[in-house]
Amino acid sequence: MDAAVTYSPRRWWAGPLDVEGLALHSVEAAAAALNLYAGTPGRFRTTPALTAAAFDSFGHLRIAGRKPQGFAPLSGFHRTGDGWIRLHANYPHHEQRLLQALGATSPEQAQRRLRSMAALEAETAIQDLGGIAAAVRTRREWLTSDMGQAAASGPWVAVEFADRTTTGLGLRDFAEERPGGNSAGPGSGQSEALPLGGQRVLDLTRVIAGPVATRLLAALGADVLRIDPPAFPEIEDQFVDTAFGKRSAEADLSLPDNQHRLRQLLGSADVVVAGYRHGALDRLGFNPRELLASYPGLAVVTLDSWGSAGPWSRLRGFDSIVQAACGIAHVYGKENHDGEWLPGALPVQALDHATGYGVAAAAIHLLGRRREAGTGGAAHLSLARTAEELFSLGRNTERPSEVPAPDYRSTGSTYGELRYVGPPLTDAGRPLDYPFPPPPYGGSPLAWV
């Protein structure tokens, strides 16, 4: 399906890349997989207004009347001796590693230290101590690097079924055939039961991409249980944004008792979504092939920042860091009023959100395959590979248009009154919503309902 023909307006964020196309195609991938799974063509659809709002759900969120807290002071672009580097220090343990790598005790001292270092030198020093950073590269520099070549290889969604057969799905491969016209129109027939009702989703994801995927699965009726490590709690505002419709538990999965309980959960789970860096959960038997060997009916979807191959495959990363490394920050760079060139960023965390909707699409696709073949499968996505999909769409040359104001909704919660935007889908023409507000963090038992 060609989003440039189907959707109007087709551009609402200023900038050189087709971020709108990435957003619309990724949400449409989830909708198409869902319609095929539900056997109701055209029932679930999206609109520019819903998609634009959902991709900026954190920006639209209000918690008891206040804006959620964004990036920490040390996060962001910093000048180096020969260029620029982007750091991520929102989590306390990541900030500590950054400071240690730079021999600094404060953000101000870290900034001074960076100015005396080359960008690649600082990048290596920080990464070697488990910190999170990427030098701002040009697109050519990224594509000619070993990391860039590895990230660009393979399909957007790499799928392997329990019988070891493989396939790949691109950003537009989920699109369903339908009559012409604007897909924002009403679906046919009356609203039916949510198609994922009764499906159990084990959510081992953090930050944005994975939680966005499981938030959508929850809105579609799934019982989603998110598990976080007690030693590294999630940032509260980030959790509130992405935990609608889920339950939340804390568990140290290195403890034998919790591993036993986890295996019990897996025995009756339908979907597992894991969003840690590549290989981080292998010691727990969470390699997808091992999971499928023990639980052949599972739909296992994994995501990470840099992909499963290449020299950066086991590094931590975030949307903003991938943007800096792969050339997006350079493409969006521009001169300020003083004539100084500054790197830039996408208008929203589009790599996270698009990957999240791709994860949801992959999970639904695997559930459909299980229903047909009786066995599950595994799928893998990465933020870096999603960046390649964005570049493949080329430049959006249409003039920006205003999108209708978001459909704000409100609900009470343990965090106070929440103003939020809903999922980017309509169900038979009616906007979809989440079944209940974010739960108390870590307040749910390690068990299915």
Side-chain angles (χ1 to χ4, degrees):
M1 183 186 63
D2 187 351
V5 174
T6 304
Y7 293 100
S8 180
R10 184 54 187 77
R11 188 183 187 204
W12 51 87
W13 291 312
L17 297 180
D18 190 6
V19 184
E20 295 87 349
L22 179 71
L24 290 166
H25 279 305
S26 62
V27 173
E28 184 66 21
L34 189 59
N35 288 332
L36 183 62
Y37 178 78
T40 52
R43 174 182 166 185
F44 292 95
R45 299 181 178 181
T46 191
T47 70
L50 289 174
T51 293
F55 266 62
D56 193 21
S57 61
F58 189 81
H60 291 299
L61 180 67
R62 296 293 181 270
I63 306 172
R66 68 170 177 86
K67 292 183 179 181
Q69 181 180 346
F71 286 105
L74 194 52
S75 295
F77 294 110
H78 296 272
R79 189 183 298 281
T80 64
D82 63 347
W84 292 86
I85 193 169
R86 180 132 196 183
L87 310 181
H88 197 287
N90 286 10
Y91 291 88
H93 58 294
H94 292 158
E95 181 182 39
Q96 291 167 9
R97 291 169 185 166
L98 269 170
L99 293 173
Q100 182 183 359
L102 296 173
T105 58
S106 69
E108 295 75 20
Q109 190 177 11
Q111 291 171 2
R112 290 194 297 271
R113 177 71 177 126
L114 286 168
R115 286 178 176 269
S116 69
M117 303 174 72
L120 293 179
E121 175 193 4
E123 175 188 85
T124 299
I126 293 166
Q127 290 177 352
D128 284 349
L129 281 184
I132 301 173
V136 173
R137 288 170 169 80
T138 66
R139 182 68 177 147
R140 178 176 176 79
E141 287 170 340
W142 176 247
L143 290 176
T144 56
S145 70
D146 291 341
M147 303 84 71
Q149 291 175 15
S153 65
W156 183 46
V157 182
V159 181
E160 179 175 318
F161 300 110
D163 60 6
R164 297 293 179 90
T165 59
T166 61
T167 188
L169 295 166
L171 184 63
R172 310 182 202 195
D173 291 344
F174 290 90
E176 43 177 339
E177 296 294 330
R178 64 168 60 133
N182 194 312
S183 71
S188 58
Q190 299 297 314
S191 180
E192 304 171 33
L194 292 171
L196 297 189
Q199 301 296 314
R200 291 170 166 173
V201 178
L202 191 61
D203 180 1
L204 299 175
T205 70
R206 293 166 63 78
V207 198
I208 298 175
V212 161
T214 51
R215 181 179 66 180
L216 180 62
L217 299 180
L220 296 168
D223 174 14
V224 178
L225 176 62
R226 171 171 166 163
I227 303 176
D228 280 275
F232 302 104
E234 182 61 281
I235 299 168
E236 182 174 286
D237 289 359
Q238 200 161 261
F239 174 79
V240 172
D241 178 41
T242 57
F244 284 86
K246 307 178 187 180
R247 292 178 299 112
S248 167
E250 284 187 296
D252 181 351
L253 297 181
S254 67
L255 300 178
D257 285 349
N258 286 337
Q259 291 179 17
H260 174 71
R261 296 169 72 185
L262 183 64
R263 286 191 290 270
Q264 290 180 316
L265 290 172
L266 287 166
S268 54
D270 298 287
V271 178
V272 173
V273 183
Y276 290 80
R277 60 191 172 90
H278 180 66
L281 298 178
D282 285 1
R283 60 187 174 81
L284 300 177
F286 263 71
N287 178 284
R289 286 189 174 180
E290 292 182 52
L291 281 175
L292 289 176
S294 301
Y295 312 96
L298 274 178
V300 182
V301 188
T302 56
L303 66 143
D304 51 46
S305 293
W306 305 109
S308 56
W312 281 13
S313 63
R314 292 183 180 268
L315 292 184
R316 300 169 178 86
F318 293 90
D319 179 305
S320 59
I321 301 300
V322 175
Q323 287 189 44
C326 76
I328 291 174
H330 188 265
V331 169
Y332 275 77
K334 57 185 178 182
E335 292 185 354
N336 62 15
H337 295 301
D338 298 326
E340 178 188 26
W341 185 87
L342 305 174
L346 297 178
V348 292
Q349 307 236 130
L351 304 184
D352 267 329
H353 284 269
T355 302
Y357 293 114
V359 167
I364 297 165
H365 176 75
L366 291 173
L367 287 174
R369 161 80 178 200
R370 182 183 70 175
R371 186 168 58 191
E372 294 174 1
T375 57
H380 178 260
L381 298 89
S382 73
L383 301 185
R385 187 62 185 79
T386 297
E388 298 306 312
E389 293 293 321
L390 173 58
F391 276 106
S392 76
L393 295 175
R395 293 178 177 255
N396 192 339
T397 58
E398 294 186 21
R399 298 183 63 180
S401 301
E402 288 191 10
V403 174
D407 175 21
Y408 289 127
R409 308 168 194 189
S410 62
T411 182
S413 77
T414 56
Y415 305 94
E417 186 74 11
L418 302 180
R419 187 194 80 176
Y420 68 100
V421 294
L425 294 179
T426 60
D427 180 358
R430 289 178 286 276
L432 196 65
D433 203 353
Y434 302 111
F436 50 86
Y441 182 78
S444 304
L446 202 61
W448 298 117
V449 172

